[in-house]
Amino acid sequence: MIALDVGGTSMKGALLSDALRPLGVIRRSTPGGSRPTQALDAITATLRELDARAGERHMPVRHIGTVVPGIVDEESGRAIRSVNLGWADLPLARLLTRATGRPVVVGHDVRAGGLAEFRAGAARGARDALFVPVGTGISAAVLSGGRPLVSGGYAGELGHVVTHPGGAICRCGGRGCLETVASAAAIAATYTARSGTRVDGAADVAARVAAGDPIAVAVWHGAVGALASALADVTTLLAPERIVLGGGLSQAGNLLLDPLRVRLGDRLTFQRRPELVRAAFGDEAGCLGAGILAWEAAGVRPRLEPATSDAGGNPRRTRRPQPQRRGAARS
């Protein structure tokens, strides 16, 4: 299978075996710009490159799984809206199938990442959980009673919960959305504006926090507070037993998780207190989820091997699973 995870700033693509082992991986930038076709052209080119690599290795491609941000209707294969990519009601699966000559299944990037984490990652074994990647944007995959909550593609838009009424204008058209304060892009932009020093991204800000830079500390605490506020609201409504933090910001590890646990706990009274953990598959989750969607579209349910962490907190694979055909007993 070809799997492609399209993010707001970068794309991660892979050739995946039926055990979801990567047989070839590429990364490309996701183009910005005002023309919606720019991102579509880049996605098509990346899928064709992966297809060509499979051909060079004499590996027949059965399906393509592509996951994208925004509001996605998986059943119809349409990208309903993506403010990051400039899309509105795009028949993405049909367009990519036509462009590549391969059957394409389309999904939502965060729900796909959540699928990997729910099946074999940090949310494994939970019946009520959230997977919350914090990167260019912020969203959530919701597992309730062991079932994903989709609601026509509109569920999980955590980044557009208003945490600062009357605050900065968000790309969605609202003001004071969580994304304007706590996304990786917002953290970097806020630090640059306050300090007058341009940084490459939130990782640079995190390094400055660790070094004791007072401006970086203030920006970081503001982002953590906003994220805690939004997660407290979700906890009150959905009572997840576990919240899994992913995306680029989660790479900060305990620099993010420790204060977030404290700030979230301070906002809760009677609610069930969720366990707050770091994602197991890191930035591989969306691509692995795209692979799961592709294999299942071909009639195979692969068993993604459970991820564990080494002493440094880095995810690792523990065993090589075997695929399971539809009709066989499922665990």
Side-chain angles (χ1 to χ4, degrees):
M1 294 296 162
I2 291 174
L4 182 65
D5 175 18
V6 181
T9 57
S10 65
M11 294 183 282
K12 308 172 193 71
L15 302 174
L16 295 176
S17 71
D18 55 7
L20 296 179
R21 287 277 178 178
L23 307 174
V25 177
I26 63 175
R27 293 175 182 261
R28 296 288 182 268
S29 296
T30 305
S34 58
R35 290 190 300 108
T37 55
Q38 287 180 280
L40 183 60
D41 291 345
I43 291 168
T44 300
T46 303
L47 293 176
R48 286 174 175 166
E49 182 178 348
L50 284 164
D51 200 350
R53 291 191 183 189
E56 290 168 0
R57 299 176 63 175
H58 307 289
M59 296 186 298
V61 173
R62 297 179 61 180
H63 269 69
I64 294 173
T66 301
V67 298
V68 298
I71 298 170
V72 179
D73 182 349
E74 285 95 342
E75 289 189 9
S76 66
R78 301 183 77 86
I80 304 300
R81 187 183 183 198
S82 174
V83 295
N84 289 330
L85 302 179
W87 291 347
D89 199 22
L90 192 71
L92 187 59
R94 178 167 59 83
L95 292 173
L96 293 178
T97 296
R98 180 189 303 165
T100 62
R102 306 286 188 189
V104 177
V105 59
V106 166
H108 184 257
D109 59 344
V110 174
R111 283 195 291 275
L115 180 62
E117 292 289 343
F118 296 151
R119 291 253 182 110
R124 183 169 179 254
R127 287 184 55 79
D128 302 291
L130 294 178
F131 169 58
V132 182
V134 183
T136 305
I138 302 174
S139 189
V142 182
L143 190 74
S144 180
R147 300 174 64 87
L149 181 64
V150 178
S151 299
Y154 285 83
E157 288 297 326
L158 182 66
H160 301 290
V161 170
V162 175
T163 57
H164 290 67
I169 297 176
C170 181
R171 284 176 293 183
C172 75
R175 279 187 175 274
C177 294
L178 178 63
E179 276 191 13
T180 68
V181 180
S183 68
I187 289 171
T190 302
Y191 179 84
T192 296
R194 292 187 186 179
S195 68
T197 301
R198 183 170 295 279
V199 292
D200 290 336
D204 278 0
V205 180
R208 291 165 190 261
V209 172
D213 180 332
I215 297 177
V217 169
V219 171
W220 194 261
H221 284 179
V224 169
L227 190 55
S229 177
L231 291 178
D233 289 345
V234 175
T235 297
T236 301
L237 290 171
L238 300 178
E241 60 193 284
R242 196 174 304 158
I243 297 176
V244 178
L245 266 291
L249 206 65
S250 71
Q251 300 306 307
N254 287 334
L255 190 69
L256 172 67
L257 292 175
D258 285 347
L260 184 56
R261 289 185 182 110
V262 172
R263 300 288 286 276
L264 176 58
D266 288 345
R267 285 167 168 76
L268 301 179
T269 54
F270 68 91
Q271 300 92 333
R272 175 162 72 173
R273 292 177 178 256
E275 180 185 12
L276 188 61
V277 298
R278 183 178 171 185
F281 290 117
D283 66 356
E284 294 182 19
C287 195
L288 290 172
I292 293 172
L293 295 178
W295 276 110
E296 292 190 344
V300 176
R301 176 167 171 150
R303 287 188 178 180
L304 177 59
E305 61 188 79
T308 58
S309 295
D310 60 23
N314 300 307
R316 64 186 179 191
R317 307 279 182 94
T318 56
R319 63 182 176 85
R320 185 182 296 273
Q322 297 299 316
Q324 194 170 29
R325 301 282 170 180
R326 282 185 180 165
R330 295 181 182 179
S331 58

